[in-house]
Amino acid sequence: MIAFGPVPSRRLGRSIGINNIPPKTCSYSCVYCQVGGTTEMSTARRQFYEPETILNEVRKKLQQSDAVSAQVDYLTLVPDGEPTLDINLEALLQNLSNLGLNIAVISNASLIWDPEVRRALRIADWVSLKVDTVNEDTWHRIDRPHGKLSLSSILKGIRTFAEEYEGKLVTETMMVQNLNDKPGEMHAIGKFLERIEPGCAYISMPTRPPAENWVRAPSEDSLNMAYNILADHIDEVAYLIDYEGDEFTQTDNLESDLLGILSVHPMRDTAVLKFLSEAGKSESILDELILKRVLKQTEYNGQIFYVRRFSG
Ligand code: SF4
């Protein structure tokens, strides 16, 4: 299916997803990929679909959404592969932007060293680039790139793009246990991100079946560590994690509000206590949430934090 949705997304509101690359053509074969193993590994940009075919599918989707009064905030290139492999990307983004909606692209950044790719991406209103690591060895172990790619060229390309781009640039770092979940990795990523100043650095983790079944999510302690280290370098850091525990019945709006905040970032104990006292609630709610296994207390740098548990 070339166009799907609209689907709700925390970052982009309601978005029509666009598959401009058939599954699963990619320049990476990430160990955590939720689309499965890469069947066609490539760095060669080429045509997969006629831009007009994609545009017609999107127009149809918009008409269907309109017919049922479904709101659409973004048109998002989020294919089952790498969207910048599409040689027609610039024409496609130009045509999509003529539809009068915001355009988003979620890319692994592997071809961002190519000026033509950067020129095309500048058309989008919102671009997300993958920065899982800035360490060559980790990059090979986690993203398993095509042999023609060079990490230093990619990082240089990201820096150049950040200087040229006028839309909202965000980054996404997928954390995998025992691969990039150590403080040294996060400090190095933080230093790199400080130079490109993304609008937000998202931290995510595998929550659906990964390409390799040995892949494990990082611990809550590691997520908290990563958040705090990145937040030392840039203003806006947020988790991008689906919480399996979200279906549990919330008995109180305050619980729901607190868990909502903790789904996006950890909170210091002092901030949580202030939050509860302002709402006139007792601290016992914290013990209840810990017993329900949706909340956990953890420590980082001598400070106590409350974090969401990501499986209920
Ligand atoms: S870049 Fe995206 S699509 Fe490609 S292998 Fe990695 S996670 Fe999968």
Side-chain angles (χ1 to χ4, degrees):
M1 191 183 292
I2 290 181
F4 59 94
V7 287
S9 126
R10 205 179 72 207
R11 297 187 289 183
L12 301 173
R14 293 185 66 80
S15 148
I16 286 187
I18 302 167
N19 264 316
N20 64 326
I21 305 282
K24 177 111 183 260
T25 307
C26 197
S27 45
Y28 281 178
S29 183
C30 304
V31 292
Y32 56 75
C33 185
Q34 295 166 1
V35 187
T38 297
T39 46
E40 196 188 333
M41 184 83 157
S42 176
T43 54
R45 302 188 70 216
R46 62 183 172 89
Q47 172 163 307
F48 295 89
Y49 302 106
E50 293 280 350
E52 199 54 36
T53 307
I54 300 178
L55 201 61
N56 284 339
E57 292 296 317
V58 174
R59 280 203 196 100
K60 257 193 256 168
K61 219 5 118 188
L62 282 171
Q63 279 160 5
Q64 288 165 6
S65 307
D66 202 36
V68 294
S69 305
Q71 182 192 329
V72 178
D73 303 302
Y74 266 90
L75 299 175
T76 306
L77 259 61
V78 52
D80 295 337
E82 171 48 32
T84 60
L85 282 169
D86 184 352
I87 192 89
N88 298 320
L89 186 69
E90 188 171 356
L92 174 65
L93 291 175
Q94 196 59 63
N95 287 334
L96 291 173
S97 71
N98 292 341
L99 296 173
L101 286 161
N102 291 318
I103 311 294
V105 183
I106 298 178
S107 164
N108 68 13
S110 62
L111 303 181
I112 197 95
W113 45 268
D114 180 341
E116 285 185 18
V117 167
R118 294 200 301 271
R119 195 174 66 211
L121 288 177
R122 286 205 298 268
I123 299 169
D125 302 280
W126 185 100
V127 171
S128 170
L129 298 178
K130 184 189 292 299
V131 183
D132 288 340
T133 180
V134 293
N135 176 296
E136 183 89 28
D137 183 50
T138 312
W139 181 56
H140 282 281
R141 293 201 294 143
I142 191 167
D143 292 342
R144 300 190 299 193
H146 187 285
K148 282 194 180 151
L149 293 171
S150 133
L151 181 61
S152 59
S153 305
I154 293 170
L155 297 177
K156 193 165 165 240
I158 293 176
R159 282 198 296 267
T160 309
F161 181 69
E163 281 163 19
E164 301 164 342
Y165 186 49
E166 290 177 354
K168 180 158 183 182
L169 172 65
V170 303
T171 58
E172 193 172 327
T173 301
M174 178 73 93
M175 284 181 73
V176 178
Q177 198 177 110
N178 296 329
L179 285 183
N180 63 346
D181 63 341
K182 300 290 174 285
E185 285 278 349
M186 289 302 142
H187 280 297
I189 293 174
K191 269 192 205 153
F192 173 72
L193 296 184
E194 195 171 300
R195 294 178 65 185
I196 67 162
E197 297 180 1
C200 184
Y202 288 100
I203 300 171
S204 59
M205 62 167 202
T207 51
R208 299 191 194 95
E212 302 296 342
N213 62 14
W214 49 263
V215 165
R216 294 286 172 269
S219 66
E220 284 96 351
D221 296 347
S222 302
L223 283 169
N224 182 43
M225 168 276 292
Y227 179 91
N228 279 284
I229 291 177
L230 295 190
D232 277 345
H233 293 274
I234 47 174
D235 293 341
E236 192 74 26
V237 182
Y239 294 147
L240 190 63
I241 296 167
D242 297 330
Y243 285 93
E244 287 172 27
D246 275 345
E247 72 274 11
F248 96 103
T249 317
Q250 279 143 8
T251 51
D252 188 310
N253 281 339
L254 185 101
E255 280 185 16
S256 148
D257 289 350
L258 181 61
L259 292 174
I261 298 170
L262 293 174
S263 298
V264 182
H265 59 73
M267 277 172 93
R268 287 212 173 133
D269 58 345
T270 45
V272 173
L273 295 178
K274 185 164 174 260
F275 179 84
L276 291 177
S277 114
E278 281 174 0
K281 296 284 177 175
S282 125
E283 293 169 28
S284 62
I285 198 173
L286 297 172
D287 297 330
E288 286 164 28
L289 290 172
I290 287 170
L291 269 175
K292 283 180 184 167
R293 298 183 60 78
V294 290
L295 205 69
K296 186 181 166 186
Q297 209 182 49
T298 183
E299 195 186 319
Y300 177 73
N301 251 354
Q303 304 264 4
I304 304 290
F305 287 85
Y306 284 94
V307 293
R308 273 295 303 263
R309 293 188 74 118
F310 43 80
S311 54

Short mmCIF file of all heavy atoms in Angstrom, two decimals, residues 24-38 79-82 107-108 130 132 142-143 174, ligand 1:
data_model
loop_
_atom_site.label_atom_id
_atom_site.label_comp_id
_atom_site.label_asym_id
_atom_site.label_seq_id
_atom_site.Cartn_x
_atom_site.Cartn_y
_atom_site.Cartn_z
N LYS A 24 11.73 -4.61 1.25
CA LYS A 24 12.41 -3.81 2.20
C LYS A 24 13.78 -3.47 1.62
O LYS A 24 14.73 -4.21 1.74
CB LYS A 24 12.51 -4.63 3.48
CG LYS A 24 13.22 -4.08 4.60
CD LYS A 24 13.44 -3.60 5.69
CE LYS A 24 14.65 -3.11 6.30
NZ LYS A 24 15.24 -4.05 7.20
N THR A 25 13.77 -2.32 0.92
CA THR A 25 14.99 -1.83 0.28
C THR A 25 15.58 -0.78 1.20
O THR A 25 14.93 0.21 1.51
CB THR A 25 14.66 -1.21 -1.09
OG1 THR A 25 13.92 -2.17 -1.83
CG2 THR A 25 15.92 -0.84 -1.84
N CYS A 26 16.78 -1.01 1.65
CA CYS A 26 17.38 -0.08 2.61
C CYS A 26 18.90 -0.08 2.48
O CYS A 26 19.49 -1.04 1.98
CB CYS A 26 16.96 -0.46 4.03
SG CYS A 26 17.22 0.91 5.20
N SER A 27 19.51 0.99 2.94
CA SER A 27 20.96 1.10 2.96
C SER A 27 21.53 0.56 4.27
O SER A 27 22.73 0.46 4.44
CB SER A 27 21.35 2.57 2.80
OG SER A 27 20.52 3.35 3.65
N TYR A 28 20.63 0.28 5.21
CA TYR A 28 21.00 -0.29 6.50
C TYR A 28 20.27 -1.63 6.67
O TYR A 28 19.25 -1.88 5.99
CB TYR A 28 20.55 0.61 7.66
CG TYR A 28 21.41 1.81 7.95
CD1 TYR A 28 21.04 2.72 8.96
CD2 TYR A 28 22.59 2.07 7.27
CE1 TYR A 28 21.81 3.83 9.26
CE2 TYR A 28 23.37 3.19 7.57
CZ TYR A 28 22.97 4.07 8.56
OH TYR A 28 23.72 5.17 8.85
N SER A 29 20.78 -2.41 7.60
CA SER A 29 20.05 -3.61 8.00
C SER A 29 20.09 -3.65 9.53
O SER A 29 20.77 -4.48 10.13
CB SER A 29 20.74 -4.84 7.40
OG SER A 29 20.00 -5.99 7.73
N CYS A 30 19.38 -2.69 10.13
CA CYS A 30 19.46 -2.51 11.58
C CYS A 30 19.02 -3.77 12.32
O CYS A 30 18.01 -4.39 11.94
CB CYS A 30 18.58 -1.34 12.02
SG CYS A 30 18.97 0.20 11.19
N VAL A 31 19.73 -4.09 13.38
CA VAL A 31 19.40 -5.32 14.13
C VAL A 31 18.01 -5.24 14.73
O VAL A 31 17.37 -6.25 14.97
CB VAL A 31 20.44 -5.61 15.24
CG1 VAL A 31 21.77 -5.99 14.65
CG2 VAL A 31 20.58 -4.45 16.22
N TYR A 32 17.54 -4.00 14.97
CA TYR A 32 16.25 -3.84 15.64
C TYR A 32 15.10 -3.58 14.66
O TYR A 32 13.98 -3.32 15.07
CB TYR A 32 16.32 -2.67 16.63
CG TYR A 32 16.75 -1.37 15.99
CD1 TYR A 32 15.89 -0.64 15.18
CD2 TYR A 32 18.04 -0.89 16.16
CE1 TYR A 32 16.28 0.53 14.58
CE2 TYR A 32 18.45 0.29 15.56
CZ TYR A 32 17.56 0.99 14.77
OH TYR A 32 17.96 2.15 14.16
N CYS A 33 15.38 -3.61 13.35
CA CYS A 33 14.38 -3.19 12.37
C CYS A 33 13.07 -3.95 12.57
O CYS A 33 13.05 -5.17 12.65
CB CYS A 33 14.89 -3.38 10.94
SG CYS A 33 13.72 -2.73 9.73
N GLN A 34 11.98 -3.21 12.63
CA GLN A 34 10.68 -3.83 12.88
C GLN A 34 9.98 -4.25 11.59
O GLN A 34 8.90 -4.79 11.62
CB GLN A 34 9.82 -2.87 13.71
CG GLN A 34 10.46 -2.68 15.07
CD GLN A 34 9.92 -1.51 15.86
OE1 GLN A 34 9.02 -0.81 15.41
NE2 GLN A 34 10.46 -1.30 17.04
N VAL A 35 10.64 -3.94 10.47
CA VAL A 35 10.07 -4.36 9.18
C VAL A 35 10.65 -5.72 8.79
O VAL A 35 10.22 -6.35 7.83
CB VAL A 35 10.38 -3.30 8.09
CG1 VAL A 35 9.66 -3.60 6.79
CG2 VAL A 35 10.01 -1.89 8.56
N GLY A 36 11.65 -6.19 9.54
CA GLY A 36 12.30 -7.47 9.23
C GLY A 36 13.65 -7.25 8.59
O GLY A 36 14.14 -6.11 8.52
N GLY A 37 14.26 -8.31 8.09
CA GLY A 37 15.59 -8.21 7.48
C GLY A 37 15.54 -7.44 6.17
O GLY A 37 14.52 -7.45 5.47
N THR A 38 16.66 -6.77 5.82
CA THR A 38 16.73 -6.04 4.55
C THR A 38 16.88 -7.04 3.41
O THR A 38 17.84 -7.81 3.40
CB THR A 38 17.91 -5.05 4.59
OG1 THR A 38 17.65 -4.10 5.63
CG2 THR A 38 18.09 -4.32 3.28
N PRO A 79 8.54 5.00 4.82
CA PRO A 79 8.40 3.73 4.11
C PRO A 79 9.04 2.55 4.86
O PRO A 79 9.72 2.75 5.86
CB PRO A 79 9.16 3.98 2.81
CG PRO A 79 10.20 4.99 3.17
CD PRO A 79 9.63 5.82 4.28
N ASP A 80 8.81 1.36 4.33
CA ASP A 80 9.43 0.15 4.88
C ASP A 80 10.83 0.00 4.29
O ASP A 80 11.19 -1.03 3.73
CB ASP A 80 8.58 -1.08 4.54
CG ASP A 80 7.24 -1.01 5.22
OD1 ASP A 80 7.11 -0.30 6.23
OD2 ASP A 80 6.29 -1.67 4.74
N GLY A 81 11.60 1.04 4.35
CA GLY A 81 12.95 1.09 3.78
C GLY A 81 13.43 2.52 3.93
O GLY A 81 12.88 3.27 4.75
N GLU A 82 14.43 2.93 3.15
CA GLU A 82 14.98 4.29 3.31
C GLU A 82 14.41 5.22 2.22
O GLU A 82 14.67 5.03 1.03
CB GLU A 82 16.51 4.22 3.25
CG GLU A 82 17.20 5.56 3.19
CD GLU A 82 16.69 6.57 4.24
OE1 GLU A 82 16.28 6.18 5.34
OE2 GLU A 82 16.69 7.77 3.90
N SER A 107 14.06 9.59 8.02
CA SER A 107 15.16 9.01 7.24
C SER A 107 16.23 8.45 8.16
O SER A 107 16.42 8.93 9.29
CB SER A 107 15.76 10.12 6.36
OG SER A 107 17.02 9.74 5.87
N ASN A 108 17.00 7.48 7.65
CA ASN A 108 18.12 6.96 8.44
C ASN A 108 19.38 7.81 8.26
O ASN A 108 20.40 7.50 8.86
CB ASN A 108 18.38 5.47 8.13
CG ASN A 108 18.92 5.23 6.73
OD1 ASN A 108 19.33 6.15 6.03
ND2 ASN A 108 18.91 3.98 6.30
N LYS A 130 18.21 9.66 11.79
CA LYS A 130 18.67 8.65 12.74
C LYS A 130 20.10 8.94 13.20
O LYS A 130 20.98 9.14 12.36
CB LYS A 130 18.62 7.28 12.04
CG LYS A 130 18.98 6.11 12.92
CD LYS A 130 19.13 4.81 12.14
CE LYS A 130 17.85 4.27 11.54
NZ LYS A 130 16.85 3.95 12.55
N ASP A 132 21.94 6.78 15.83
CA ASP A 132 21.99 5.72 16.84
C ASP A 132 23.31 5.73 17.60
O ASP A 132 23.40 5.25 18.72
CB ASP A 132 21.81 4.34 16.19
CG ASP A 132 20.38 4.11 15.73
OD1 ASP A 132 19.47 4.80 16.23
OD2 ASP A 132 20.18 3.24 14.86
N ILE A 142 25.13 -2.11 15.15
CA ILE A 142 23.69 -1.86 15.38
C ILE A 142 22.94 -1.59 14.06
O ILE A 142 21.85 -2.11 13.85
CB ILE A 142 23.51 -0.71 16.41
CG1 ILE A 142 22.06 -0.60 16.86
CG2 ILE A 142 23.95 0.63 15.90
CD1 ILE A 142 21.88 0.28 18.09
N ASP A 143 23.54 -0.75 13.19
CA ASP A 143 22.83 -0.38 11.96
C ASP A 143 23.24 -1.25 10.76
O ASP A 143 22.56 -1.23 9.74
CB ASP A 143 23.08 1.11 11.62
CG ASP A 143 22.45 2.05 12.63
OD1 ASP A 143 21.56 1.59 13.37
OD2 ASP A 143 22.84 3.23 12.68
N MET A 174 17.82 5.11 18.58
CA MET A 174 17.24 3.85 19.05
C MET A 174 18.25 3.19 19.98
O MET A 174 19.39 2.93 19.58
CB MET A 174 16.93 2.96 17.85
CG MET A 174 16.38 1.61 18.19
SD MET A 174 14.68 1.67 18.77
CE MET A 174 13.78 1.40 17.24
S1 SF4 B 1 17.06 2.19 8.53
FE1 SF4 B 1 14.95 1.82 9.14
S2 SF4 B 1 14.09 0.51 7.54
FE2 SF4 B 1 16.31 0.48 7.29
S3 SF4 B 1 16.96 -1.33 8.41
FE3 SF4 B 1 17.12 0.41 9.82
S4 SF4 B 1 15.18 0.49 10.91
FE4 SF4 B 1 14.87 -0.83 9.11
#
